Amino acid sequence: MNKQLLVRTAATTVLGLGLTTGFAAAQSSIDTTGPHSTNKVISKSTNSAHIRNDNDLSVRNDNSQHASSGDAKVNDNTTGGDATSGDASNDNSADTSVDVSNNSLSGLSWGSSSDLSGSISTTGPHSSNVIVSTSKNTLNVNNDNNIRVTNSNHQSAYTGDARVSDNTTGGSATTGSASNTNSSSTTVSVSN
């Protein structure tokens, strides 16, 4: 009686192995399984990247210049000579260059869906064989660029008074010239 019990137990174990389920990972294979077996190769690849670039740049160039030449006066003389004042000038130049480069995707590399593979072969009769390959890639990129450039230039130039007065013989009075020059150059480059 003990002998029959052992034989039945061994038969039950073999049948139990035939009904087991096989699972495998990416680039895997299942072969030589028993009858009525359920065989699955499931390959999943999930990649997710969230990139946020927030660039706030502010450039402000302020220039305020004032220039004036003196007065040239010849007065209260018997014989007046000549009087000359110099020139008054302002010169301003502003060059602004802003370069924003967000190369956040330059090193990003995800495996291809061809890396997901599997095979099932030599299975027993009435077996269920399934190969599932799933690849999911999610990329969210949010670029927020706020760039402000302000160039402010205030210039004034004044020449003095040229007066010849109250002379027996008057000379000459000459004031210099007054001039303003301004130059602004702004370059903005954004690469996301």
Side-chain angles (χ1 to χ4, degrees), residues 4-98:
Q4 281 184 335
L5 182 62
L6 288 175
V7 171
R8 286 184 188 162
T9 304
T12 304
T13 304
V14 170
L15 182 60
L17 289 175
L19 295 176
T20 58
T21 303
F23 292 96
Q27 296 179 338
S28 295
S29 63
I30 297 174
D31 62 16
T32 315
T33 62
H36 302 284
S37 61
T38 300
N39 305 293
K40 295 181 182 179
V41 175
I42 299 174
S43 302
K44 292 183 181 180
S45 172
T46 302
N47 297 298
S48 179
H50 301 278
I51 299 169
R52 177 175 169 80
N53 295 311
D54 187 5
N55 301 300
D56 295 315
L57 302 171
S58 180
V59 177
R60 183 179 177 98
N61 295 315
D62 286 325
N63 178 51
S64 181
Q65 295 178 341
H66 303 282
S68 61
S69 66
D71 295 336
K73 297 180 182 179
V74 178
N75 54 351
D76 298 322
N77 296 297
T78 303
T79 301
D82 298 330
T84 304
S85 66
D87 298 333
S89 65
N90 292 311
D91 188 4
N92 179 55
S93 177
D95 293 322
T96 302
S97 178
V98 178

Side-chain angles (χ1 to χ4, degrees), residues 171-183:
S172 65
T174 305
T175 61
S177 62
S179 64
N180 291 316
T181 303
N182 181 49
S183 173

Side-chain angles (χ1 to χ4, degrees), residues 58-161:
S58 180
V59 177
R60 183 179 177 98
N61 295 315
D62 286 325
N63 178 51
S64 181
Q65 295 178 341
H66 303 282
S68 61
S69 66
D71 295 336
K73 297 180 182 179
V74 178
N75 54 351
D76 298 322
N77 296 297
T78 303
T79 301
D82 298 330
T84 304
S85 66
D87 298 333
S89 65
N90 292 311
D91 188 4
N92 179 55
S93 177
D95 293 322
T96 302
S97 178
V98 178
D99 184 12
V100 177
S101 178
N102 296 316
N103 293 325
S104 52
L105 299 178
S106 61
L108 188 61
S109 174
W110 291 341
S112 66
S113 59
S114 64
D115 294 338
L116 304 175
S117 63
S119 66
I120 299 174
S121 61
T122 316
T123 60
H126 308 291
S127 295
S128 173
N129 302 305
V130 177
I131 297 176
V132 177
S133 296
T134 304
S135 179
K136 181 181 178 183
N137 296 319
T138 304
L139 175 62
N140 293 318
V141 178
N142 182 1
N143 291 315
D144 182 10
N145 299 305
N146 298 309
I147 300 172
R148 291 171 295 280
V149 178
T150 303
N151 289 321
S152 178
N153 180 45
H154 303 284
Q155 293 179 338
S156 61
Y158 303 99
T159 61
D161 291 334

